[in-house]
């Protein structure tokens, strides 16, 4: 590990030094950048910055060749310990929860298509206004967060609402950097999932609503074509999304 740390630290610093020389960075610009780094730490935004601007590269590099369904970033809004739901598998919500009622259904299988019984789907999302419970004002604790298990046939269902798009925080240093670069601060509407089963690699992923804005300008660069879904209107004001997940087996580890 010391050799690995030495290699990574030296390589990152070398590339920073090269960028300084190639872009003829001035002392004034350096001092501005240094203060920004301090501001990010004081604002507690390092997790936000990493999740938005770095995590997607780690995810793509680490899992790019994995078999099964596509994954994407975890993001900063997951909370462990969401309740395991019983039928009718409805994510906890307010009586007057805004948003179009939606049923997400599908199967969890292995890469050969065999159903995985008792697989777990940990689900969380923003509400129709783009707010996450536990992180933003508005929704109560636990809103639109829950876990469901598959049946013997690998099937699952989740009753929820269509989420809304949202921006990363705009008033902190990460938002100010985003504005300075002229980038969109928006994330498109999506539902987060961690799909897991014993003996298989957990799949961290998101399902993106095809009618949402910002699919082509996601600030977190997390959208993949395979993860865009089409909510099908059922004629009674509700929608249905059908999506199957295929899990890859746990990777064998070399014996020591």
């Amino acid at each position: 590990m010391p050799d690995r740390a030495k290699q990574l630290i030296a390589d990152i610093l070398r590339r920073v030094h090269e960028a300084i020389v190639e872009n003829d960075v001035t002392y004034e610009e350096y001092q501005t950048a240094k203060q920004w780094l301090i501001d990010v730490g004081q604002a507690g935004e390092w997790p936000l910055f990493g999740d938005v601007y770095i995590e997607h590269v780690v995810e793509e590099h680490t899992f790019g060749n994995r078999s099964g369904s596509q994954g994407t970033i975890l993001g900063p809004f997951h909370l462990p310990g969401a309740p395991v739901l019983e039928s009718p598998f409805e994510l906890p919500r307010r009586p007057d929860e805004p948003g179009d009622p939606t049923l997400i259904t599908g199967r969890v299988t292995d890469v050969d298509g065999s159903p995985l019984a008792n697989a777990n789907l940990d689900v969380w999302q923003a509400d129709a206004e783009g707010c996450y419970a536990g992180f933003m004002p508005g929704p109560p604790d636990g809103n639109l967060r829950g876990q469901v298990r598959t049946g013997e046939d690998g099937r699952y269902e989740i009753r929820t609402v269509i989420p809304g798009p949202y921006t990363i925080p705009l008033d902190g240093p990460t938002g100010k950097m985003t504005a300075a670069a002229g980038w969109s601060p928006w994330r498109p509407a999506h539902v987060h999932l961690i799909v897991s089963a014993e003996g298989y690699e957990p799949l961290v992923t998101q399902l993106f609503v095809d009618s949402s804005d910002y699919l082509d300008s996601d600030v977190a660069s997390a959208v993949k074509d395979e993860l865009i879904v089409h909510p099908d209107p059922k004629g009674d004001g509700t929608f249905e999304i059908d999506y199957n997940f295929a899990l890859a087996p746990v990777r064998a580890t070399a014996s020591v």
Side-chain angles (χ1 to χ4, degrees):
M1 188 60 184
D3 288 343
R4 174 69 169 168
K6 178 180 178 180
Q7 176 186 350
L8 288 173
I9 293 168
D11 190 42
I12 291 169
L13 288 175
R14 176 179 59 82
R15 296 183 191 215
V16 171
H17 299 163
E18 289 174 350
I20 290 171
V21 174
E22 291 172 5
N23 292 279
D24 196 22
V25 172
T26 66
Y27 242 101
E28 181 180 5
E29 290 168 331
Y30 165 69
Q31 295 293 355
T32 298
K34 185 170 73 171
Q35 185 60 54
W36 179 84
L37 294 170
I38 295 170
D39 292 343
V40 173
Q42 291 178 339
E45 286 193 358
W46 280 118
L48 172 67
F49 175 79
D51 291 341
V52 170
Y53 287 114
I54 299 175
E55 186 183 354
H56 72 279
V57 180
V58 179
E59 189 277 327
E60 291 166 3
H61 180 73
T62 303
F63 298 117
N65 295 322
R66 180 175 61 184
S67 57
S69 296
Q70 285 286 331
T72 189
I73 67 172
L74 176 68
F77 299 127
H78 178 250
L79 291 173
V84 177
L85 308 178
E86 303 293 338
S87 180
F89 308 110
E90 182 171 334
L91 292 186
R93 67 183 94 168
R94 294 161 285 193
D96 57 348
E97 188 69 43
D100 296 312
T102 300
L103 176 66
I104 306 176
T105 63
R107 296 172 73 229
V108 179
T109 70
D110 64 16
V111 293
D112 296 319
S114 299
L116 297 179
N118 206 39
N120 190 72
L121 296 92
D122 187 354
V123 187
W124 69 103
Q125 64 172 81
D127 65 11
E129 306 300 323
C131 297
Y132 282 89
F135 292 89
M136 303 171 186
D141 288 347
N143 203 59
L144 298 175
R145 296 178 180 272
Q147 301 182 69
V148 300
R149 304 274 167 78
T150 59
E152 291 298 319
D153 58 357
R155 293 202 64 82
Y156 73 89
E157 62 179 51
I158 305 159
R159 299 179 186 276
T160 184
V161 296
I162 297 290
Y166 59 90
T167 68
I168 64 170
L170 301 178
D171 54 352
T174 304
K176 292 177 181 177
M177 183 206 74
T178 303
W183 297 331
S184 168
W186 286 88
R187 294 223 64 210
H190 59 277
V191 175
H192 291 265
L193 305 100
I194 301 176
V195 187
S196 58
E198 186 175 355
Y200 294 85
E201 290 278 352
L203 176 69
V204 177
T205 195
Q206 300 174 30
L207 299 181
F208 296 90
V209 179
D210 68 348
S211 59
S212 177
D213 294 328
Y214 316 111
L215 289 170
D216 296 327
S217 58
D218 178 17
V219 66
S221 301
V223 178
K224 298 180 181 180
D225 290 342
E226 298 89 342
L227 300 177
I228 298 175
V229 296
H230 175 68
D232 183 25
K234 307 312 292 182
D236 58 355
T238 67
F239 292 82
E240 186 170 332
I241 295 169
D242 190 72
Y243 197 90
N244 299 325
F245 298 99
L247 301 186
V250 170
R251 300 180 185 183
T253 55
S255 57
V256 179

